[in-house]
Amino acid sequence: MAAMTDVNTKQFDNTEQFERAQRVIPGGVNSPVRAYGSVGGTPRFLVSARGPYVTDAEGREYVDLVASWGPAILGHAHPAVVQAVQEAAARGLSFGASTPAETQLAEAVIARVPFVEKLRLVSTGTEATMSAIRLARGFTGRPLLIKFAGHYHGHSDSLLAEAGSGLATLALPGSAGVTEATAAQTIVLPYNDLDAVRAVFEAQGPDIAAVITEAAAANMGVVPPDEGFNAALTDLAHEFGALLILDEVLTGFRVGEAGFWGLDRGYTPDLVTFGKVIGGGMPLAALGGRAELMDFLAPAGPVYQAGTLSGNPVAVAAGLTTLQYADAAVYARLDEVAATLSAGVSEALSGAGVAHRVQRAGNLFSFVFGDFDRAPRTYAEVQRQEAFRYRAFFHAMLDQGVSLPPSVFEAWFVTAAHDDAAVSRILDALPAAARAAASATPPAP
């Protein structure tokens, strides 16, 4: 048998890697944001990572502020997580059967988030939210779902919906391949607008199964909920007999030991979804909630959900070890680094004369470019920013060895491994990047 070729050892630069990928992978990437579509240029093909650093196919090292979109909370390739994965893999990659570690992980989550009484493990955040919505519809016997513009809950059909022409109108397909009938089961409303939610409930309440919301929006840049919004939203849903699904795929166990709910509290969601950190960098996610609801899932109940690789033992080992090591000191370091960097970016932008706002939700942060009287609260407000400035800012940072999320509409992620040396490298790169943002011009119409 011919030996497998390790592409990481081949001397292809990033451009050659991208050209090669485009010949066999749609768009050259397996997730769209990786294509650098909003910032332009050639995507970096990464071959290794450790601590706060990643290394590309050309051997260049970058301080990383993507952190695998959140799960590398301890830093890349944390020794304890790697050891746990290696030991689990040595026992077998997958059994298609239950394992004791699945129960341990469920117990660890329940200990952190006390309103969760039972947990179902799945493989992706999309699967978690899709299953939560099916469960909500099955439990209530109602067809409709409310979501908020700018919130991302995965790419299942009913969630790829765009706002219609009015507050009480049903949504339109947000992607080719999503039928109008499917999109019409979702109502898309402006975020942080309780009056809009009440108006829809008063018009169509008996048909609404659930409201789904990111605990703190982090897929249109970071836009935190208004104070008390999540609690009021929960009360409003319950007033009309609907459920509240809290999506913590991004925020869960990243912004605190109990996710954003732990910072917000004062309300009890019916269902919650987790991803990212819960898998420690491996494909793993979950949905949880009170036992009465969760027992509606098969095999205990009539709502079917299954997955051959659900609770994969290698992924569970990574997630369980990550949660065990994500202690108070880790969260304190994340908060400290996030505060230092967000303040540093703001200072550099202000020094270069770039109008902007800092957006924060716990240790997640992002920036909107432009002159805003107050922090944007809705997707429509975020979209009015001078997004063209981010492209110049992004590439100036990349040229200086700092890897940022390749879209202005993404959160920045720090890790507990971002030590003073890594933070200094980022801060040192900011003045040149701020000047690049200041000199950027909008694209020709």
Side-chain angles (χ1 to χ4, degrees):
M1 180 182 293
M4 293 288 289
T5 300
D6 181 0
V7 296
N8 293 344
T9 67
K10 305 287 283 186
Q11 296 302 307
F12 294 117
D13 64 20
N14 289 305
T15 299
E16 292 167 328
Q17 292 282 6
F18 193 37
E19 291 172 350
R20 184 182 184 190
Q22 287 174 304
R23 291 195 289 269
V24 293
I25 299 173
V29 295
N30 285 308
S31 189
V33 73
R34 300 176 190 173
Y36 281 24
S38 69
V39 294
T42 301
R44 298 303 187 262
F45 280 67
L46 302 183
V47 298
S48 66
R50 184 167 297 277
Y53 303 106
V54 294
T55 303
D56 71 10
E58 299 175 15
R60 187 174 184 194
E61 180 185 83
Y62 305 84
V63 185
D64 184 33
L65 288 169
V66 179
S68 194
W69 301 101
I73 187 173
L74 304 176
H76 292 288
H78 186 278
V81 177
V82 171
Q83 181 180 351
V85 166
Q86 290 173 335
E87 292 175 354
R91 293 190 293 268
L93 298 181
S94 180
F95 308 130
S98 297
T99 68
E102 295 173 62
T103 303
Q104 288 180 270
L105 181 56
E107 289 170 344
V109 170
I110 290 168
R112 283 171 169 250
V113 188
F115 71 80
V116 174
E117 296 176 338
K118 292 191 176 182
L119 191 80
R120 171 63 61 88
L121 297 179
V122 295
S123 296
T124 69
T126 290
E127 190 180 357
T129 55
M130 177 185 72
S131 300
I133 292 165
R134 181 184 300 163
L135 177 55
R137 285 174 168 150
F139 186 81
T140 63
R142 298 174 175 186
L144 300 183
L145 175 76
I146 292 175
K147 74 175 291 284
F148 296 104
H151 286 212
Y152 180 70
H153 306 288
H155 63 270
S156 59
D157 284 3
S158 65
L159 293 171
L160 290 180
E162 295 181 341
S165 59
L167 289 183
T169 63
L170 300 183
L172 303 172
S175 168
V178 177
T179 67
E180 291 187 7
T182 298
Q185 293 183 319
T186 303
I187 302 169
V188 184
L189 299 177
Y191 187 40
N192 281 320
D193 190 338
L194 288 171
D195 290 339
V197 178
R198 176 169 287 281
V200 168
F201 266 117
E202 289 177 346
Q204 302 183 67
D207 291 325
I208 297 172
V211 180
I212 186 169
T213 184
E214 290 186 61
N219 285 281
M220 52 179 178
V222 175
V223 180
D226 289 346
E227 185 175 355
F229 176 78
N230 286 343
L233 190 63
T234 304
D235 291 343
L236 190 52
H238 290 170
E239 179 184 340
F240 287 88
L243 305 181
L244 191 286
I245 303 171
L246 193 70
D247 183 346
E248 293 242 32
V249 168
L250 269 178
T251 54
F253 314 124
R254 164 150 280 276
V255 299
E257 66 175 12
F260 193 81
W261 175 84
L263 306 180
D264 205 18
R265 295 191 184 260
Y267 64 102
T268 302
D270 298 289
L271 294 169
V272 60
T273 59
F274 300 112
K276 311 296 186 187
V277 173
I278 199 177
M282 300 287 286
L284 189 69
L287 64 149
R290 67 179 188 269
E292 176 193 15
L293 271 169
M294 295 301 295
D295 283 341
F296 241 64
L297 287 173
V303 176
Y304 192 74
Q305 185 280 325
T308 300
L309 297 180
S310 295
N312 174 271
V314 181
V316 166
L320 183 57
T321 306
T322 297
L323 290 184
Q324 289 169 341
Y325 276 81
D327 58 15
V330 164
Y331 290 111
R333 181 60 182 173
L334 294 173
D335 292 344
E336 179 185 3
V337 174
T340 297
L341 293 182
S342 58
V345 174
S346 184
E347 181 180 353
L349 291 174
S350 295
V354 179
H356 67 282
R357 298 286 307 212
V358 181
Q359 302 279 108
R360 285 282 302 272
N363 55 54
L364 294 180
F365 60 97
S366 66
F367 305 88
V368 288
F369 292 88
D371 191 7
F372 291 88
D373 293 335
R374 57 172 173 78
R377 299 168 55 250
T378 69
Y379 187 41
E381 292 174 355
V382 169
Q383 287 180 305
R384 289 200 287 269
Q385 70 174 300
E386 297 173 341
F388 65 89
R389 298 195 185 279
Y390 187 74
R391 176 173 182 159
F393 185 88
F394 171 88
H395 281 287
M397 294 293 282
L398 196 65
D399 290 345
Q400 297 175 90
V402 180
S403 176
L404 303 180
S407 169
V408 73
F409 297 107
E410 299 287 355
W412 295 27
F413 299 92
V414 300
T415 80
H418 278 76
D419 56 15
D420 292 346
V423 171
S424 292
R425 284 179 57 174
I426 298 167
L427 294 176
D428 289 346
L430 290 173
R435 291 193 296 270
S439 62
T441 56

